[in-house]
Amino acid sequence: VLSRACFLMAARLKQKDARDYTNQYTKAVRSAILNLSNQQLTTLPPGVFTLHEFVPPSGDNGSNWWELTVPHTLTLTHNKLRSLIPPPTLCWYNAWNQLKTLNIAYNEISEIPKEILMLKLLQTVIAHHNKLHTLCLAACTAHQLLRIEVQHNNLRGALDESIGACINLQYLDISHNQIISLPSSLSNCTQLRYCEASYNCIAGDLQHINLSSCTQLKEFDASHNQITA
Protein backbone atom coordinates (compact mmCIF):
# COMPACT_ATOMS: atom_id res chain seq x y z
CA VAL A 1 0.00 0.00 0.00
CA LEU A 2 2.82 2.37 0.91
CA SER A 3 4.65 1.76 -2.36
CA ARG A 4 1.46 2.39 -4.33
CA ALA A 5 0.88 5.64 -2.42
CA CYS A 6 4.43 6.74 -3.19
CA PHE A 7 3.93 5.89 -6.85
CA LEU A 8 0.72 7.93 -7.05
CA MET A 9 2.38 10.87 -5.31
CA ALA A 10 5.30 10.76 -7.74
CA ALA A 11 2.86 10.62 -10.68
CA ARG A 12 0.99 13.67 -9.37
CA LEU A 13 4.24 15.60 -8.93
CA LYS A 14 5.28 14.71 -12.45
CA GLN A 15 1.94 15.92 -13.81
CA LYS A 16 2.21 19.13 -11.80
CA ASP A 17 5.71 19.79 -13.11
CA ALA A 18 4.55 19.21 -16.68
CA ARG A 19 1.59 21.56 -16.18
CA ASP A 20 3.83 24.23 -14.68
CA TYR A 21 6.26 24.01 -17.59
CA THR A 22 3.38 24.17 -20.06
CA ASN A 23 2.31 27.47 -18.51
CA GLN A 24 5.84 28.78 -18.88
CA TYR A 25 6.08 27.59 -22.48
CA THR A 26 2.76 29.26 -23.29
CA LYS A 27 3.94 32.50 -21.69
CA ALA A 28 7.15 32.29 -23.72
CA VAL A 29 5.37 32.43 -27.05
CA ARG A 30 3.60 35.58 -25.84
CA SER A 31 6.47 37.35 -24.09
CA ALA A 32 9.41 36.01 -26.16
CA ILE A 33 11.11 35.04 -22.89
CA LEU A 34 11.37 31.55 -21.44
CA ASN A 35 12.45 31.53 -17.82
CA LEU A 36 13.16 28.14 -16.23
CA SER A 37 15.39 29.37 -13.42
CA ASN A 38 15.44 27.66 -10.03
CA GLN A 39 13.65 24.54 -11.24
CA GLN A 40 16.22 21.97 -10.04
CA LEU A 41 16.68 20.89 -13.65
CA THR A 42 19.35 18.29 -14.34
CA THR A 43 18.41 17.93 -18.03
CA LEU A 44 16.56 20.17 -20.43
CA PRO A 45 12.85 19.34 -20.81
CA PRO A 46 11.87 18.44 -24.41
CA GLY A 47 9.39 21.32 -24.40
CA VAL A 48 12.29 23.78 -24.55
CA PHE A 49 12.90 22.57 -28.11
CA THR A 50 9.23 22.31 -29.18
CA LEU A 51 7.79 25.65 -28.14
CA HIS A 52 5.68 25.84 -31.30
CA GLU A 53 3.51 23.08 -29.85
CA PHE A 54 2.53 25.34 -26.96
CA VAL A 55 1.00 28.10 -29.06
CA PRO A 56 -2.52 28.51 -27.60
CA PRO A 57 -5.52 28.30 -29.94
CA SER A 58 -6.69 31.58 -31.43
CA GLY A 59 -8.99 33.33 -29.00
CA ASP A 60 -7.81 31.30 -25.99
CA ASN A 61 -7.77 33.68 -22.99
CA GLY A 62 -8.10 36.57 -25.36
CA SER A 63 -4.94 35.70 -27.29
CA ASN A 64 -4.65 36.02 -31.05
CA TRP A 65 -2.01 34.78 -33.43
CA TRP A 66 -0.68 38.32 -33.96
CA GLU A 67 0.07 38.59 -30.25
CA LEU A 68 2.43 35.61 -30.39
CA THR A 69 6.14 36.00 -30.97
CA VAL A 70 9.26 33.94 -31.49
CA PRO A 71 11.21 33.57 -28.22
CA HIS A 72 14.51 35.45 -28.12
CA THR A 73 15.59 35.09 -24.47
CA LEU A 74 16.26 31.85 -22.60
CA THR A 75 17.07 31.90 -18.88
CA LEU A 76 18.15 28.68 -17.18
CA THR A 77 20.02 30.02 -14.16
CA HIS A 78 20.39 28.33 -10.77
CA ASN A 79 19.71 24.77 -11.87
CA LYS A 80 21.84 21.62 -11.91
CA LEU A 81 22.32 21.32 -15.66
CA ARG A 82 25.45 19.58 -16.87
CA SER A 83 24.72 19.60 -20.58
CA LEU A 84 22.86 21.70 -23.13
CA ILE A 85 22.68 18.95 -25.73
CA PRO A 86 19.05 18.44 -26.85
CA PRO A 87 17.30 15.06 -26.70
CA PRO A 88 17.53 12.81 -29.79
CA THR A 89 15.54 14.04 -32.85
CA LEU A 90 15.36 17.57 -31.40
CA CYS A 91 17.57 20.58 -32.06
CA TRP A 92 18.14 24.15 -30.95
CA TYR A 93 17.45 25.83 -34.27
CA ASN A 94 13.74 25.02 -34.69
CA ALA A 95 12.57 26.76 -31.52
CA TRP A 96 15.45 29.18 -31.00
CA ASN A 97 16.54 30.51 -34.40
CA GLN A 98 15.77 34.01 -33.05
CA LEU A 99 17.74 33.56 -29.82
CA LYS A 100 19.51 36.75 -28.75
CA THR A 101 20.20 36.19 -25.05
CA LEU A 102 21.22 32.95 -23.36
CA ASN A 103 21.63 32.99 -19.58
CA ILE A 104 22.86 29.69 -18.09
CA ALA A 105 24.66 31.06 -15.03
CA TYR A 106 24.98 28.95 -11.89
CA ASN A 107 24.86 25.45 -13.36
CA GLU A 108 27.41 22.67 -13.92
CA ILE A 109 27.78 23.00 -17.70
CA SER A 110 31.18 22.07 -19.15
CA GLU A 111 30.67 23.17 -22.75
CA ILE A 112 28.37 25.35 -24.85
CA PRO A 113 27.33 23.36 -27.95
CA LYS A 114 28.36 24.72 -31.34
CA GLU A 115 24.73 24.52 -32.41
CA ILE A 116 23.93 27.33 -29.99
CA LEU A 117 26.93 29.46 -30.88
CA MET A 118 26.01 29.18 -34.57
CA LEU A 119 22.62 30.84 -34.07
CA LYS A 120 22.86 33.93 -36.22
CA LEU A 121 21.14 36.42 -33.92
CA LEU A 122 22.88 35.44 -30.68
CA GLN A 123 24.22 38.57 -28.96
CA THR A 124 24.60 37.79 -25.27
CA VAL A 125 26.02 34.69 -23.57
CA ILE A 126 25.92 34.70 -19.77
CA ALA A 127 27.54 31.52 -18.49
CA HIS A 128 29.37 32.47 -15.31
CA HIS A 129 29.64 30.07 -12.39
CA ASN A 130 29.69 26.86 -14.41
CA LYS A 131 32.36 24.30 -15.27
CA LEU A 132 33.28 25.46 -18.76
CA HIS A 133 36.71 24.19 -19.75
CA THR A 134 36.93 25.89 -23.14
CA LEU A 135 35.65 28.93 -25.02
CA CYS A 136 36.02 28.29 -28.74
CA LEU A 137 34.06 30.58 -31.03
CA ALA A 138 35.57 29.37 -34.30
CA ALA A 139 32.35 27.72 -35.51
CA CYS A 140 29.95 30.45 -34.42
CA THR A 141 28.56 33.62 -35.94
CA ALA A 142 30.90 35.56 -33.70
CA HIS A 143 30.49 39.00 -35.24
CA GLN A 144 27.01 39.24 -33.70
CA LEU A 145 28.16 38.71 -30.12
CA LEU A 146 28.05 41.80 -27.93
CA ARG A 147 28.48 40.38 -24.42
CA ILE A 148 30.24 37.29 -23.06
CA GLU A 149 30.34 36.45 -19.35
CA VAL A 150 32.28 33.30 -18.47
CA GLN A 151 33.82 34.29 -15.14
CA HIS A 152 34.14 31.67 -12.41
CA ASN A 153 34.58 28.65 -14.68
CA ASN A 154 37.36 26.13 -15.40
CA LEU A 155 38.89 27.84 -18.43
CA ARG A 156 42.53 26.78 -18.69
CA GLY A 157 45.48 27.51 -20.95
CA ALA A 158 45.49 30.28 -23.53
CA LEU A 159 42.29 32.10 -24.37
CA ASP A 160 41.32 30.88 -27.84
CA GLU A 161 42.33 33.02 -30.83
CA SER A 162 38.74 32.83 -32.08
CA ILE A 163 37.80 35.59 -29.63
CA GLY A 164 39.18 37.96 -32.29
CA ALA A 165 36.26 37.10 -34.57
CA CYS A 166 33.94 38.92 -32.15
CA ILE A 167 34.50 42.24 -33.87
CA ASN A 168 31.44 43.86 -32.27
CA LEU A 169 32.04 42.53 -28.76
CA GLN A 170 31.51 45.20 -26.11
CA TYR A 171 31.80 43.34 -22.81
CA LEU A 172 34.04 40.38 -21.97
CA ASP A 173 34.42 38.86 -18.51
CA ILE A 174 36.84 35.94 -18.23
CA SER A 175 37.89 36.62 -14.64
CA HIS A 176 38.35 33.95 -11.98
CA ASN A 177 39.59 31.20 -14.30
CA GLN A 178 42.99 29.63 -14.95
CA ILE A 179 43.81 31.34 -18.23
CA ILE A 180 47.56 31.69 -18.81
CA SER A 181 47.62 34.08 -21.78
CA LEU A 182 45.53 36.38 -23.96
CA PRO A 183 45.75 36.20 -27.77
CA SER A 184 46.87 39.07 -29.99
CA SER A 185 43.57 38.68 -31.85
CA LEU A 186 41.87 40.37 -28.90
CA SER A 187 42.84 43.66 -30.54
CA ASN A 188 40.39 42.82 -33.36
CA CYS A 189 37.55 43.45 -30.89
CA THR A 190 37.60 47.13 -31.74
CA GLN A 191 34.24 47.84 -30.08
CA LEU A 192 35.33 46.41 -26.73
CA ARG A 193 34.43 48.66 -23.80
CA TYR A 194 35.00 46.47 -20.77
CA CYS A 195 37.39 43.54 -20.40
CA GLU A 196 37.62 41.75 -17.05
CA ALA A 197 40.54 39.31 -16.91
CA SER A 198 41.48 39.47 -13.25
CA TYR A 199 42.22 36.46 -11.05
CA ASN A 200 43.77 34.25 -13.70
CA CYS A 201 47.27 32.88 -14.28
CA ILE A 202 48.30 35.29 -17.02
CA ALA A 203 52.07 35.73 -17.02
CA GLY A 204 54.58 37.89 -18.89
CA ASP A 205 53.53 41.07 -20.66
CA LEU A 206 50.65 42.12 -22.88
CA GLN A 207 52.65 44.03 -25.47
CA HIS A 208 51.55 41.64 -28.22
CA ILE A 209 47.98 42.94 -27.84
CA ASN A 210 47.41 46.25 -29.61
CA LEU A 211 44.79 47.65 -27.27
CA SER A 212 45.08 51.06 -28.94
CA SER A 213 42.86 49.67 -31.70
CA CYS A 214 40.08 49.25 -29.12
CA THR A 215 39.12 52.89 -29.23
CA GLN A 216 35.96 52.39 -27.13
CA LEU A 217 37.80 50.68 -24.25
CA LYS A 218 36.91 52.14 -20.85
CA GLU A 219 38.16 49.45 -18.49
CA PHE A 220 40.70 46.65 -18.82
CA ASP A 221 41.21 44.81 -15.55
CA ALA A 222 44.02 42.24 -15.48
CA SER A 223 44.80 42.53 -11.79
CA HIS A 224 45.75 39.53 -9.66
CA ASN A 225 47.78 37.89 -12.40
CA GLN A 226 51.52 37.61 -13.00
CA ILE A 227 51.82 40.31 -15.65
CA THR A 228 55.18 42.06 -15.78
CA ALA A 229 54.32 44.96 -18.06
Side-chain angles (χ1 to χ4, degrees):
V1 176
L2 181 60
S3 59
R4 177 176 174 77
C6 291
F7 174 81
L8 290 174
M9 181 178 293
R12 292 192 189 101
L13 288 173
K14 184 176 182 180
Q15 291 176 354
K16 181 179 184 299
D17 286 343
R19 187 162 58 250
D20 288 346
Y21 291 150
T22 298
N23 291 337
Q24 287 160 297
Y25 299 149
T26 303
K27 290 178 182 178
V29 297
R30 292 194 179 103
S31 68
I33 299 172
L34 177 57
N35 188 343
L36 291 177
S37 297
N38 293 292
Q39 297 294 320
Q40 299 295 310
L41 295 175
T42 56
T43 59
L44 290 173
V48 170
F49 306 96
T50 58
L51 285 180
H52 58 283
E53 298 179 3
F54 295 90
V55 175
S58 178
D60 180 31
N61 294 325
S63 67
N64 295 285
W65 64 267
W66 58 81
E67 295 175 342
L68 306 179
T69 184
V70 179
H72 57 63
T73 299
L74 177 59
T75 302
L76 299 166
T77 63
H78 295 89
N79 281 295
K80 298 179 181 179
L81 294 170
R82 293 186 178 182
S83 173
L84 296 176
I85 297 176
T89 74
L90 298 178
C91 68
W92 278 98
Y93 183 81
N94 289 344
W96 293 99
N97 57 75
Q98 302 293 310
L99 183 65
K100 293 183 179 180
T101 299
L102 174 67
N103 190 342
I104 54 173
Y106 295 100
N107 277 283
E108 301 174 13
I109 297 166
S110 60
E111 186 175 4
I112 302 176
K114 291 181 181 179
E115 187 182 359
I116 294 177
L117 296 174
M118 291 175 67
L119 296 173
K120 293 183 178 180
L121 299 182
L122 186 63
Q123 296 179 344
T124 300
V125 175
I126 301 175
H128 56 80
H129 291 87
N130 273 282
K131 295 183 179 180
L132 297 178
H133 55 78
T134 183
L135 179 65
C136 182
L137 304 171
C140 78
T141 313
H143 66 275
Q144 296 285 359
L145 288 172
L146 302 178
R147 187 181 188 95
I148 299 175
E149 296 186 30
V150 289
Q151 64 270 32
H152 292 278
N153 273 282
N154 294 332
L155 299 178
R156 300 171 181 269
L159 183 64
D160 198 273
E161 287 277 350
S162 60
I163 192 67
C166 304
I167 56 175
N168 290 308
L169 188 66
Q170 298 177 7
Y171 187 98
L172 175 64
D173 194 336
I174 54 174
S175 62
H176 296 272
N177 280 286
Q178 298 183 53
I179 296 170
I180 62 172
S181 65
L182 302 178
S184 59
S185 64
L186 187 62
S187 59
N188 295 338
C189 305
T190 56
Q191 301 302 308
L192 192 63
R193 297 181 180 181
Y194 299 93
C195 182
E196 301 290 339
S198 59
Y199 292 96
N200 276 286
C201 304
I202 303 171
D205 60 57
L206 300 178
Q207 295 181 9
H208 62 289
I209 305 175
N210 182 20
L211 291 178
S212 62
S213 64
C214 303
T215 57
Q216 305 299 315
L217 192 62
K218 295 181 178 180
E219 181 179 328
F220 184 91
D221 186 357
S223 60
H224 301 280
N225 280 284
Q226 302 172 36
I227 298 172
T228 57

mmCIF file of all heavy atoms in Angstrom, residues 13 15 29 63 67 69-70 74 90 96 102 108 120 122 150 153 170 186 189 224 226:
data_model
loop_
_atom_site.group_PDB
_atom_site.id
_atom_site.type_symbol
_atom_site.label_atom_id
_atom_site.label_comp_id
_atom_site.label_asym_id
_atom_site.label_seq_id
_atom_site.Cartn_x
_atom_site.Cartn_y
_atom_site.Cartn_z
ATOM 1 N N LEU A 13 3.171 14.600 -8.848
ATOM 2 C CA LEU A 13 4.236 15.602 -8.925
ATOM 3 C C LEU A 13 4.716 15.766 -10.352
ATOM 4 O O LEU A 13 4.983 16.877 -10.816
ATOM 5 C CB LEU A 13 5.395 15.213 -8.004
ATOM 6 C CG LEU A 13 5.133 15.366 -6.505
ATOM 7 C CD1 LEU A 13 6.310 14.785 -5.711
ATOM 8 C CD2 LEU A 13 4.909 16.818 -6.127
ATOM 9 N N GLN A 15 2.966 15.211 -13.069
ATOM 10 C CA GLN A 15 1.943 15.919 -13.806
ATOM 11 C C GLN A 15 1.953 17.404 -13.471
ATOM 12 O O GLN A 15 1.809 18.256 -14.342
ATOM 13 C CB GLN A 15 0.569 15.326 -13.482
ATOM 14 C CG GLN A 15 0.365 13.920 -14.046
ATOM 15 C CD GLN A 15 -0.969 13.325 -13.629
ATOM 16 O OE1 GLN A 15 -1.684 13.930 -12.836
ATOM 17 N NE2 GLN A 15 -1.271 12.159 -14.167
ATOM 18 N N VAL A 29 5.748 32.065 -25.691
ATOM 19 C CA VAL A 29 5.366 32.428 -27.053
ATOM 20 C C VAL A 29 4.575 33.724 -27.091
ATOM 21 O O VAL A 29 4.269 34.240 -28.162
ATOM 22 C CB VAL A 29 4.569 31.286 -27.736
ATOM 23 C CG1 VAL A 29 5.421 30.046 -27.861
ATOM 24 C CG2 VAL A 29 3.287 30.986 -26.984
ATOM 25 N N SER A 63 -6.137 35.613 -26.471
ATOM 26 C CA SER A 63 -4.938 35.701 -27.290
ATOM 27 C C SER A 63 -5.292 35.553 -28.763
ATOM 28 O O SER A 63 -6.290 34.937 -29.128
ATOM 29 C CB SER A 63 -3.952 34.602 -26.894
ATOM 30 O OG SER A 63 -4.473 33.335 -27.219
ATOM 31 N N GLU A 67 -0.533 38.244 -31.540
ATOM 32 C CA GLU A 67 0.065 38.585 -30.253
ATOM 33 C C GLU A 67 1.222 37.658 -29.901
ATOM 34 O O GLU A 67 1.934 37.888 -28.937
ATOM 35 C CB GLU A 67 -0.997 38.506 -29.145
ATOM 36 C CG GLU A 67 -2.116 39.534 -29.285
ATOM 37 C CD GLU A 67 -3.194 39.341 -28.233
ATOM 38 O OE1 GLU A 67 -3.243 38.241 -27.653
ATOM 39 O OE2 GLU A 67 -3.965 40.275 -28.002
ATOM 40 N N THR A 69 4.838 35.590 -30.479
ATOM 41 C CA THR A 69 6.145 35.998 -30.969
ATOM 42 C C THR A 69 7.136 34.866 -30.825
ATOM 43 O O THR A 69 6.928 33.933 -30.050
ATOM 44 C CB THR A 69 6.646 37.242 -30.199
ATOM 45 O OG1 THR A 69 7.879 37.685 -30.761
ATOM 46 C CG2 THR A 69 6.847 36.918 -28.729
ATOM 47 N N VAL A 70 8.213 34.952 -31.565
ATOM 48 C CA VAL A 70 9.256 33.935 -31.494
ATOM 49 C C VAL A 70 10.159 34.249 -30.306
ATOM 50 O O VAL A 70 10.678 35.370 -30.196
ATOM 51 C CB VAL A 70 10.077 33.905 -32.794
ATOM 52 C CG1 VAL A 70 11.185 32.859 -32.702
ATOM 53 C CG2 VAL A 70 9.175 33.622 -33.994
ATOM 54 N N LEU A 74 16.386 33.096 -23.358
ATOM 55 C CA LEU A 74 16.264 31.848 -22.603
ATOM 56 C C LEU A 74 17.087 31.959 -21.329
ATOM 57 O O LEU A 74 18.298 32.187 -21.371
ATOM 58 C CB LEU A 74 16.754 30.664 -23.434
ATOM 59 C CG LEU A 74 16.764 29.290 -22.749
ATOM 60 C CD1 LEU A 74 15.370 28.905 -22.274
ATOM 61 C CD2 LEU A 74 17.323 28.224 -23.681
ATOM 62 N N LEU A 90 15.662 16.157 -31.616
ATOM 63 C CA LEU A 90 15.356 17.571 -31.402
ATOM 64 C C LEU A 90 16.610 18.413 -31.626
ATOM 65 O O LEU A 90 17.727 17.901 -31.598
ATOM 66 C CB LEU A 90 14.808 17.793 -29.997
ATOM 67 C CG LEU A 90 13.497 17.074 -29.666
ATOM 68 C CD1 LEU A 90 13.093 17.331 -28.226
ATOM 69 C CD2 LEU A 90 12.381 17.500 -30.614
ATOM 70 N N TRP A 96 14.642 28.061 -31.473
ATOM 71 C CA TRP A 96 15.451 29.183 -30.999
ATOM 72 C C TRP A 96 16.277 29.844 -32.097
ATOM 73 O O TRP A 96 17.345 30.386 -31.835
ATOM 74 C CB TRP A 96 16.374 28.706 -29.870
ATOM 75 C CG TRP A 96 15.592 28.326 -28.653
ATOM 76 C CD1 TRP A 96 15.230 27.068 -28.258
ATOM 77 C CD2 TRP A 96 15.009 29.218 -27.700
ATOM 78 N NE1 TRP A 96 14.470 27.109 -27.112
ATOM 79 C CE2 TRP A 96 14.320 28.413 -26.746
ATOM 80 C CE3 TRP A 96 15.002 30.600 -27.556
ATOM 81 C CZ2 TRP A 96 13.641 28.968 -25.659
ATOM 82 C CZ3 TRP A 96 14.326 31.156 -26.480
ATOM 83 C CH2 TRP A 96 13.658 30.334 -25.546
ATOM 84 N N LEU A 102 21.194 34.237 -24.055
ATOM 85 C CA LEU A 102 21.219 32.950 -23.361
ATOM 86 C C LEU A 102 21.860 33.157 -22.001
ATOM 87 O O LEU A 102 23.007 33.591 -21.904
ATOM 88 C CB LEU A 102 22.025 31.921 -24.157
ATOM 89 C CG LEU A 102 22.251 30.569 -23.472
ATOM 90 C CD1 LEU A 102 20.929 29.819 -23.314
ATOM 91 C CD2 LEU A 102 23.249 29.720 -24.249
ATOM 92 N N GLU A 108 26.212 23.510 -13.926
ATOM 93 C CA GLU A 108 27.413 22.669 -13.921
ATOM 94 C C GLU A 108 27.810 22.308 -15.353
ATOM 95 O O GLU A 108 28.310 21.233 -15.626
ATOM 96 C CB GLU A 108 27.154 21.402 -13.097
ATOM 97 C CG GLU A 108 26.769 21.694 -11.648
ATOM 98 C CD GLU A 108 26.371 20.455 -10.880
ATOM 99 O OE1 GLU A 108 26.614 19.333 -11.382
ATOM 100 O OE2 GLU A 108 25.815 20.585 -9.778
ATOM 101 N N LYS A 120 22.402 32.710 -35.561
ATOM 102 C CA LYS A 120 22.860 33.930 -36.222
ATOM 103 C C LYS A 120 22.524 35.221 -35.485
ATOM 104 O O LYS A 120 23.149 36.257 -35.724
ATOM 105 C CB LYS A 120 22.303 33.987 -37.640
ATOM 106 C CG LYS A 120 22.863 32.900 -38.544
ATOM 107 C CD LYS A 120 22.338 33.028 -39.965
ATOM 108 C CE LYS A 120 22.944 31.953 -40.857
ATOM 109 N NZ LYS A 120 22.454 32.064 -42.253
ATOM 110 N N LEU A 122 22.400 35.490 -32.056
ATOM 111 C CA LEU A 122 22.884 35.445 -30.677
ATOM 112 C C LEU A 122 23.801 36.632 -30.375
ATOM 113 O O LEU A 122 24.786 36.850 -31.064
ATOM 114 C CB LEU A 122 23.634 34.129 -30.435
ATOM 115 C CG LEU A 122 24.086 33.858 -28.997
ATOM 116 C CD1 LEU A 122 22.890 33.748 -28.063
ATOM 117 C CD2 LEU A 122 24.921 32.588 -28.937
ATOM 118 N N VAL A 150 31.885 34.675 -18.806
ATOM 119 C CA VAL A 150 32.278 33.302 -18.467
ATOM 120 C C VAL A 150 33.189 33.283 -17.241
ATOM 121 O O VAL A 150 34.023 32.388 -17.076
ATOM 122 C CB VAL A 150 32.961 32.602 -19.662
ATOM 123 C CG1 VAL A 150 31.954 32.286 -20.751
ATOM 124 C CG2 VAL A 150 34.098 33.455 -20.219
ATOM 125 N N ASN A 153 34.701 29.929 -13.995
ATOM 126 C CA ASN A 153 34.582 28.646 -14.679
ATOM 127 C C ASN A 153 35.900 27.902 -14.552
ATOM 128 O O ASN A 153 36.724 28.222 -13.682
ATOM 129 C CB ASN A 153 34.199 28.860 -16.144
ATOM 130 C CG ASN A 153 32.691 28.946 -16.338
ATOM 131 O OD1 ASN A 153 31.995 27.936 -16.347
ATOM 132 N ND2 ASN A 153 32.183 30.167 -16.498
ATOM 133 N N GLN A 170 31.399 44.018 -26.951
ATOM 134 C CA GLN A 170 31.513 45.203 -26.107
ATOM 135 C C GLN A 170 31.904 44.881 -24.670
ATOM 136 O O GLN A 170 32.526 45.697 -24.002
ATOM 137 C CB GLN A 170 30.172 45.963 -26.104
ATOM 138 C CG GLN A 170 29.763 46.475 -27.458
ATOM 139 C CD GLN A 170 28.412 47.162 -27.436
ATOM 140 O OE1 GLN A 170 27.814 47.375 -26.378
ATOM 141 N NE2 GLN A 170 27.899 47.511 -28.604
ATOM 142 N N LEU A 186 42.781 39.593 -29.734
ATOM 143 C CA LEU A 186 41.869 40.373 -28.899
ATOM 144 C C LEU A 186 41.781 41.812 -29.398
ATOM 145 O O LEU A 186 40.745 42.477 -29.229
ATOM 146 C CB LEU A 186 42.331 40.346 -27.439
ATOM 147 C CG LEU A 186 41.388 40.972 -26.399
ATOM 148 C CD1 LEU A 186 40.054 40.231 -26.359
ATOM 149 C CD2 LEU A 186 42.034 40.945 -25.008
ATOM 150 N N CYS A 189 38.839 43.091 -31.522
ATOM 151 C CA CYS A 189 37.549 43.450 -30.895
ATOM 152 C C CYS A 189 37.525 44.961 -30.690
ATOM 153 O O CYS A 189 37.602 45.461 -29.559
ATOM 154 C CB CYS A 189 37.375 42.710 -29.571
ATOM 155 S SG CYS A 189 37.519 40.908 -29.707
ATOM 156 N N HIS A 224 45.631 40.853 -10.270
ATOM 157 C CA HIS A 224 45.746 39.527 -9.663
ATOM 158 C C HIS A 224 46.140 38.464 -10.680
ATOM 159 O O HIS A 224 45.555 37.382 -10.755
ATOM 160 C CB HIS A 224 44.454 39.143 -8.939
ATOM 161 C CG HIS A 224 44.065 40.093 -7.852
ATOM 162 N ND1 HIS A 224 44.635 40.068 -6.593
ATOM 163 C CD2 HIS A 224 43.191 41.138 -7.848
ATOM 164 C CE1 HIS A 224 44.129 41.032 -5.855
ATOM 165 N NE2 HIS A 224 43.250 41.707 -6.589
ATOM 166 N N GLN A 226 50.063 37.532 -13.122
ATOM 167 C CA GLN A 226 51.523 37.613 -13.005
ATOM 168 C C GLN A 226 52.104 38.398 -14.165
ATOM 169 O O GLN A 226 53.135 38.058 -14.731
ATOM 170 C CB GLN A 226 52.104 36.192 -12.958
ATOM 171 C CG GLN A 226 51.562 35.345 -11.817
ATOM 172 C CD GLN A 226 52.005 33.908 -11.905
ATOM 173 O OE1 GLN A 226 53.123 33.601 -12.314
ATOM 174 N NE2 GLN A 226 51.146 32.989 -11.481
#
